[in-house]
Amino acid sequence: MKSISARLGVLAPLLALAWLSACGGGDDHTIELKNETAPYPVPLARAAVQVSAGWAHTCAVLADGSAACWGGNQFGQLGNGGQALVGCADGFAVCSNGPVAVSGATTWTRVAGGFLFTCGTDAAGAAHCWGAGRRGQLGNGTQVTSNVPANVSGGLVFSALAAATGGDLACGLSAGALYCWGSGYYGQPGNGSVSQLAPVPYRVSPTQSFTALAVGEVHACALDGSGAAFCWGADDAGQVGDGTLVDRTLPVAALGGRSYTQIVAGLGHTCALDAGGVAYCWGAAGRIGRASASVVDRAGNTRRRGRRAALRADRGRRLAHLRHRQRRADVVLGRQLTRAVRRRHPGVEPAARAHRGPARIHADHRRRWPHLRRHRGRRGVVLGGGHVRAERAAVVSGAGLQRAS
């Protein structure tokens, strides 16, 4: 049975077809984005032998060992030094109006597209990365963006390379050792600590040897020499596969004791093939080839409901605090207004008008001094802004949970 990688080698020229949203049309300065609903032939200078899609860009290795990229280039992820680019509509700063050559005379063997960066290996197995670098994605010890390929630190020779399409992590295999660099928020750097930034390659699980790897958006996986699957990172949907819903900062074995030959990782799910060609998947329901929920799926739903309830409770506490601040502001403003009356009318004591009641006095003061009313309006806007920020924070957190589910 042919492996997935072997099939990709045969179909590589066809994979250069842009089954993606593409830049097209327009003039030489600003072009509009349009969707292609049918396979579109990318005008490459030579046949492609390997291709990889990043978040909003794609790169390919060509038959002569050169590399070409096309798509979004907000942070230089096309690697051509920023030349021969045009402005894009729909929020993209710049993109390419067709493939552009990656800078330099490097002979490439593989490319891997990440979120806003790209990595590749040359004929000697050395790794190079380009694009966004603020989160250590380039692996060169800096946190600086580069629009041309930068050497990954360590002088390692890689036989395999992978990058997170929707994340900031890259990993590679060197003589069976697994190295990763970049960052994550759920332990996916795999360094066993709360530190989520690794600007240079570090070895993951130094006592183990691996033969294959996969990097998802918020988790990563690898196969050891026996074919056993190990995963780490976010586990809110069960994508780590250890029967829990606990994020892991170090690789843990997936349940089942099976031996796999290939493994892939997505946003909230993982799939692997055994030697007989049987596919096994775990993680978020709806992405693993089964519509019904398992015990783990139901546990995940319960956990997410608990998180949403906690968010609602927290939002309630924040709003109560903001209301308390508003009441305190009203009291303080009332005192300021009373002092203003005394300053303007030194012969009139507030007690002489007490029969009118505090509310009527307050209303009268607001009519007399519009600038104080405007002051209160500004205070209300500020406090109202805090209310809106609390609401937005709850909505964003809830949306994040919804995406993870």
Side-chain angles (χ1 to χ4, degrees):
M1 171 185 163
K2 288 186 177 180
S3 67
I4 291 178
S5 58
R7 291 172 181 171
L8 289 179
V10 174
L11 299 176
L14 297 179
L15 289 175
L17 298 177
W19 295 353
L20 306 165
S21 296
C23 293
D27 56 27
D28 292 336
H29 302 288
T30 302
I31 58 177
E32 296 180 356
L33 300 179
K34 68 176 182 179
N35 295 326
E36 293 290 347
T37 58
Y40 170 81
V42 177
L44 295 169
R46 296 169 183 81
V49 296
Q50 190 260 331
V51 65
S52 178
W55 179 66
H57 71 291
T58 305
C59 293
V61 175
L62 306 184
D64 64 350
S66 63
C69 297
W70 58 96
N73 196 49
Q74 305 92 314
F75 292 90
Q77 59 264 43
L78 301 187
N80 72 329
Q83 302 300 313
L85 298 179
V86 292
C88 279
D90 294 347
F92 285 85
V94 289
C95 69
S96 67
N97 192 10
V100 294
V102 175
S103 297
T106 303
T107 299
W108 301 98
T109 58
R110 176 172 293 275
V111 288
F115 177 45
L116 294 170
F117 71 105
T118 309
C119 291
T121 52
D122 62 23
H128 312 262
C129 296
W130 56 94
R134 189 168 63 89
R135 301 186 185 279
Q137 306 97 305
L138 305 189
N140 62 348
T142 72
Q143 292 176 254
V144 179
T145 293
S146 175
N147 57 18
V148 295
N151 297 332
V152 173
S153 299
L156 299 167
V157 176
F158 291 101
S159 59
L161 190 68
T165 300
D168 301 313
L169 186 74
C171 297
L173 290 178
S174 178
L178 174 60
Y179 291 88
C180 293
W181 58 93
S183 63
Y185 304 98
Y186 303 96
Q188 63 265 42
N191 55 10
S193 72
V194 295
S195 175
Q196 300 295 308
L197 175 66
V200 296
Y202 63 90
R203 187 170 179 180
V204 178
S205 192
T207 61
Q208 289 181 281
S209 179
F210 297 96
T211 60
L213 76 157
V215 181
E217 184 163 335
V218 289
H219 77 295
C221 296
L223 302 180
D224 70 5
S226 68
F230 290 81
C231 298
W232 63 96
D235 194 29
D236 61 318
Q239 60 264 46
V240 170
D242 65 345
T244 73
L245 294 169
V246 178
D247 298 345
R248 301 294 184 178
T249 59
L250 287 172
V252 295
L255 297 179
R258 297 182 180 89
S259 178
Y260 301 106
T261 58
Q262 297 176 64
I263 191 165
V264 293
L267 170 59
H269 66 291
T270 308
C271 291
L273 288 180
D274 68 10
V278 178
Y280 293 87
C281 295
W282 53 93
R287 305 174 193 169
I288 58 176
R290 186 190 64 236
S292 61
S294 68
V295 175
V296 172
D297 295 330
R298 288 194 293 272
N301 291 334
T302 301
R303 184 187 182 192
R304 286 187 286 275
R305 284 195 295 270
R307 285 184 177 178
R308 293 187 184 109
L311 283 171
R312 286 194 295 270
D314 181 64
R315 182 178 61 181
R317 286 192 295 270
R318 292 188 183 197
L319 295 182
H321 174 67
L322 289 169
R323 292 190 190 101
H324 176 65
R325 287 180 60 188
Q326 179 70 66
R327 287 194 295 271
R328 288 185 61 188
D330 287 340
V331 171
V332 171
L333 185 59
R335 291 172 180 168
Q336 292 172 344
L337 289 168
T338 301
R339 287 195 293 270
V341 170
R342 288 173 174 167
R343 285 195 299 271
R344 288 293 185 92
H345 305 281
V348 179
E349 288 296 322
R353 305 176 63 180
H355 66 280
R356 297 180 62 190
R360 294 185 62 185
I361 292 175
H362 184 73
D364 183 57
H365 293 172
R366 288 203 303 170
R367 284 193 298 271
R368 287 171 182 260
W369 294 286
H371 70 280
L372 289 174
R373 185 166 65 250
R374 288 195 297 272
H375 172 72
R376 184 171 187 268
R378 287 196 294 270
R379 291 288 295 274
V381 169
V382 171
L383 291 171
H387 184 117
V388 171
R389 285 194 295 273
E391 288 278 6
R392 285 176 177 171
V395 169
V396 169
S397 299
L401 289 171
Q402 211 167 20
R403 286 195 298 272
S405 64

